[in-house]
């Protein structure tokens, strides 16, 4: 009798195209089974308490960093990024696990609120409970750092987690599950499911209690729509078109060094990577000169060769190519590189100047090692152009004296002053965006609270000789409330 074969898919080494691994494509029935198991495990995981969960999570973080060579090699194999970059990514992810484990109890502690004069006889408290089972859908560009930024916070809060990694990095996703199971006190606390987009779609409608997604805005909208059918709340961390603002008083060497790294490292495949620079015209030529000099010394290549690797997702090459072409067609000029810088699967550094704001290259996420440098007359113009984007993820500001003033006017979720990417490595601050860059937050207390819900509990401490919330209420009691309200001008609290 013929047996039905489980459908499967391959992951590839993007530098060579060779098959890196084969994984099952899980269907909706299988996804539901995993979610049901995770749901059953949630009660025991919660009962373990903060200290029990902290022990498990710290053991996991220790195991990951002790095996950094193994996981960095796997990340490098599936994404094409240099092993050193993968190690940095792993280290930052481990920092998040430790922070979430150590701070969950304090963040979720019951808070006591003022009951106000009218309700002075009550105590008012807000408790925090884990939502139950959290679904995480991850991307391929930072296959450890990004999903772990949701997974460890959800786990620390007392939820079980079902994780669907990108089809480009399933091996990394499986490694996370396997290492967690080595330290887990019982099964089904953290499970990885593999498959293509439809498997992620099945996770959205599987009855999970919250979904945390990282990826494109286009898919985020599909995910939000699918989750809406089951009233499943979502956190959406989507792409960006991050601006870099360079003032005339900026340290130009440092600004160029950080901006070029932000734009080109990881082959430009960073949601918070620099994509457009607005530089004060007084220092623009110097900035460009330094950027070109730096670009001359970096190149794309396979791990061990290049400063950064290939495009992880082959179809991205077309997007990069089309943005370079439209930048030139719309009036921009090359300062470094050209159309022949794109030789799949690699893209050598490209620097473009004076690209009109309405060009697709300035509006859409390129996700490649390209950077556009445009001159501005002053910082007000830089702020306005930065904000005139459908995205609002991160931004960088380079200035000795005006950093905070400029940062406060930017319509985005995160700003780094005289630095780049740093907010992603500070576990205590939230990460996320506005507009097409998504909503909700990962990391920090805000990120942990995303995987909890608030339960308000009020309690009568003593009885008042008033019957406000009763059919026994008297007319003179109603008058007293109105008089009090007038006297206190509504200040009951
Ligand atoms: P997607 O947004 O399509 O994929 C992100 C994740 O969503 C993957 O795990 C993917 O699974 C999953 N997914 C795909 N379709 C569905 C669906 N219908 N329901 C649920 N989950 C789904 O991004 P791509 O990988 O295609 O990249 C496209 C663009 O997105 C990039 O060019 C880049 O601009 C942007 N991007 C932004 C990232 C960021 O950090 N903000 C990260 C990655 C990409 P599968 O891989 O199996 O299809």
């Amino acid at each position: 009798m013929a047996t039905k074969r489980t459908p499967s898919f391959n992951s590839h080494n993007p530098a060579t195209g060779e098959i890196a691994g084969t994984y099952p494509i899980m269907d909706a029935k299988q996804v539901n089974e995993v979610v049901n198991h995770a749901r059953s495990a949630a009660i025991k995981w919660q009962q373990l308490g903060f200290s029990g969960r902290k022990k498990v999570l710290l053991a996991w973080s220790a195991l990951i960093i002790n095996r950094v060579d193994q996981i960095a090699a796997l990340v490098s194999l599936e994404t094409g990024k240099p092993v050193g970059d993968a190690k940095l990514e792993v280290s930052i992810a481990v920092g998040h696990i430790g922070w979430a484990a150590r701070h969950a109890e304090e963040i979720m502690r019951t808070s006591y609120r003022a009951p106000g004069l009218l309700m002075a006889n009550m105590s008012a408290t807000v408790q925090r409970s884990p939502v139950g089972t959290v679904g995480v859908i991850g991307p391929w560009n930072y296959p450890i750092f990004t999903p772990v930024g949701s997974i460890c916070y959800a786990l620390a809060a007392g939820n079980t987690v079902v994780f669907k990694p990108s089809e480009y990095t399933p091996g990394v996703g499986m490694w996370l599950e396997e290492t967690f199971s080595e330290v887990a006190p019982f099964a089904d606390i953290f499970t990885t499911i593999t498959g293509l987009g439809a498997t992620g779609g099945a996770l959205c409608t599987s009855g999970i209690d919250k979904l945390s997604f990282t990826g494109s805005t286009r898919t985020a909208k599909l995910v939000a729509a699918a989750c809406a059918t089951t009233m499943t709340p979502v956190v959406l961390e989507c792409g960006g078109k991050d601006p870099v603002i360079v003032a005339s008083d900026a340290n130009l060497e440092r600004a160029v060094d950080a901006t070029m790294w932000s734009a080109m490292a990881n082959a430009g495949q960073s949601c918070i990577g620099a994509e457009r620079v607005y530089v004060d015209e007084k220092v623009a030529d110097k900035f460009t000169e330094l950027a070109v000099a730096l670009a001359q010394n970096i190149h794309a290549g396979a791990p061990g060769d290049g400063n950064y690797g290939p495009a992880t997702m082959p179809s991205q090459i077309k997007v990069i190519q089309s943005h370079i072409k439209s930048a030139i067609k719309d009036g921009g000029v090359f300062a470094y590189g050209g159309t022949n810088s794109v030789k799949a699967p690699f893209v050598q550094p490209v620097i473009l100047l004076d690209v009109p704001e309405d060009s697709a290259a300035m509006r859409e996420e390129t996700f490649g090692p390209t950077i556009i440098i445009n001159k501005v007359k002053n910082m007000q113009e830089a702020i306005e152009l930065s904000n005139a984007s459908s995205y609002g993820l991160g931004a960088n500001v380079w200035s000795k004296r005006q950093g905070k003033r400029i940062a406060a006017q930017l319509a985005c979720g995160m700003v780094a002053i005289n630095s780049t990417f740093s907010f992603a490595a500070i576990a205590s601050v939230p990460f996320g965006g506005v507009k097409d860059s998504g909503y909700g937050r990962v990391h920090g207390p805000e990120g942990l609270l995303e995987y909890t819900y608030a339960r308000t509990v009020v309690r009568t401490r003593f009885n008042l000789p008033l019957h406000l919330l009763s059919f026994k209420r008297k007319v003179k009691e109603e008058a007293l409330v109105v008089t009090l309200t007038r006297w206190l001008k509504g200040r009951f609290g």
Side-chain angles (χ1 to χ4, degrees):
M1 198 175 73
T3 50
K4 210 176 141 202
R5 274 186 57 216
T6 311
S8 62
F9 70 105
N10 297 325
S11 73
H12 296 90
N13 173 343
T16 61
E18 282 161 19
I19 292 175
T22 303
Y23 300 88
I25 297 176
M26 294 174 74
D27 61 18
K29 190 165 163 271
Q30 291 166 308
V31 172
N32 286 345
E33 267 169 34
V34 171
V35 170
N36 286 340
H37 286 300
R39 193 178 286 291
S40 308
I43 297 151
K44 260 165 84 184
W45 182 237
Q46 284 170 30
Q47 283 167 350
L48 214 55
F50 289 106
S51 61
R53 291 195 293 272
K54 182 166 137 185
K55 269 191 209 136
V56 175
L57 286 167
L58 292 181
W60 191 36
S61 69
L63 193 155
I64 293 175
I65 204 63
N66 288 339
R67 293 201 199 147
V68 67
D69 290 337
Q70 186 188 43
I71 184 57
L74 185 53
V75 170
S76 175
L77 176 72
E78 287 195 325
T79 63
K81 69 175 72 178
V83 171
D85 284 3
K87 284 187 183 173
L88 183 63
E89 179 186 342
V90 172
S91 303
I92 295 172
V94 163
H96 279 282
I97 300 174
W99 194 90
R102 291 188 180 95
H103 289 84
E105 183 166 15
E106 159 202 335
I107 294 164
M108 288 175 68
R109 193 164 284 147
T110 297
S111 81
Y112 291 82
R113 310 283 170 93
L117 200 67
L118 257 194
M119 297 287 147
N121 62 324
M122 307 294 294
S123 81
T125 56
V126 181
Q127 304 172 346
R128 283 279 168 181
S129 275
V131 293
T133 299
V134 172
V136 175
I137 296 180
W140 40 265
N141 54 342
Y142 292 94
I144 290 274
F145 163 77
T146 300
V148 164
S150 294
I151 292 164
C152 68
Y153 289 84
L155 289 172
N159 303 282
T160 52
V161 172
V162 178
F163 170 43
K164 154 70 178 71
S166 161
E167 67 191 79
Y168 297 98
T169 53
V172 176
M174 287 310 300
W175 189 92
L176 284 173
E177 182 202 77
E178 284 154 17
T179 48
F180 187 86
S181 70
E182 287 185 42
V183 297
F186 50 88
D188 303 320
I189 301 166
F190 168 52
T191 317
T192 295
I193 54 173
T194 56
L196 310 178
T199 306
L203 182 59
C204 296
T205 50
S206 64
I208 37 150
D209 300 292
K210 183 130 189 179
L211 189 107
S212 195
F213 168 87
T214 306
S216 64
T217 305
R218 192 187 60 80
T219 304
K221 289 178 183 175
L222 296 176
V223 163
C227 286
T229 61
T230 45
M231 286 287 279
T232 303
V234 287
V235 177
L236 303 176
E237 205 278 275
C238 312
K241 191 75 186 171
D242 283 12
V244 178
I245 295 179
V246 185
S248 58
D249 66 343
N251 177 329
L252 289 187
E253 271 84 17
R254 296 203 58 197
V256 167
D257 181 49
T259 302
M260 290 296 284
W261 183 84
S262 171
M264 315 270 160
N266 204 29
Q269 305 167 127
S270 304
C271 54
I272 50 167
E275 296 234 349
R276 49 195 176 121
V277 178
Y278 296 113
V279 54
D280 190 304
E281 60 186 6
K282 292 189 265 316
V283 293
D285 291 345
K286 183 71 187 163
F287 184 94
T288 303
E289 187 191 309
L290 290 170
V292 169
L294 197 154
Q296 283 163 348
N297 288 311
I298 56 173
H299 70 281
D305 169 28
N307 300 90
Y308 60 84
T312 303
M313 187 173 71
S315 59
Q316 196 65 27
I317 292 283
K318 277 206 183 90
V319 177
I320 300 168
Q321 231 157 9
S322 82
H323 284 189
I324 293 173
K325 278 190 187 145
S326 55
I328 297 299
K329 185 171 79 52
D330 296 336
V333 292
F334 288 112
Y336 188 80
T339 39
N340 59 358
S341 300
V342 184
K343 288 193 188 87
F346 299 101
V347 180
Q348 300 305 332
V350 174
I351 302 176
L352 290 147
L353 305 180
D354 306 327
V355 180
E357 291 296 320
D358 58 358
S359 174
M362 284 299 278
R363 286 185 290 104
E364 296 164 16
E365 186 176 43
T366 306
F367 234 54
T370 64
I371 187 80
I372 296 172
I373 304 172
N374 281 355
K375 289 178 190 169
V376 287
K377 288 198 166 38
N378 50 46
M379 289 299 96
Q380 194 49 40
E381 187 185 359
I383 293 164
E384 282 164 19
L385 293 176
S386 293
N387 290 344
S389 169
S390 62
Y391 289 109
L393 192 57
N396 300 277
V397 179
W398 292 89
S399 169
K400 289 195 183 98
R401 282 175 298 275
Q402 308 167 65
K404 285 189 193 164
R405 185 185 65 78
I406 295 169
Q409 296 175 73
L410 293 174
C412 63
M414 300 156 294
V415 186
I417 301 170
N418 298 331
S419 151
T420 192
F421 274 50
S422 36
F423 41 72
I426 301 175
S428 60
V429 295
F431 184 107
V434 295
K435 302 191 270 184
D436 278 356
S437 294
Y439 46 79
R441 291 293 180 265
V442 295
H443 305 173
E446 292 83 354
L448 191 133
L449 290 174
E450 287 282 0
Y451 307 112
T452 70
Y453 63 89
R455 185 190 305 103
T456 293
V457 177
V458 298
R459 181 179 58 83
T460 304
R461 289 188 299 142
F462 54 88
N463 290 318
L464 288 176
L466 287 170
H467 303 95
L468 297 183
L469 307 174
S470 156
F471 290 116
K472 291 184 196 148
R473 191 174 59 217
K474 300 199 171 65
V475 172
K476 66 177 186 194
E477 289 173 331
E478 289 167 3
L480 178 67
V481 170
V482 171
T483 306
L484 266 176
T485 309
R486 191 175 295 126
W487 279 356
L488 295 169
K489 298 192 170 66
R491 284 194 293 265
F492 286 132

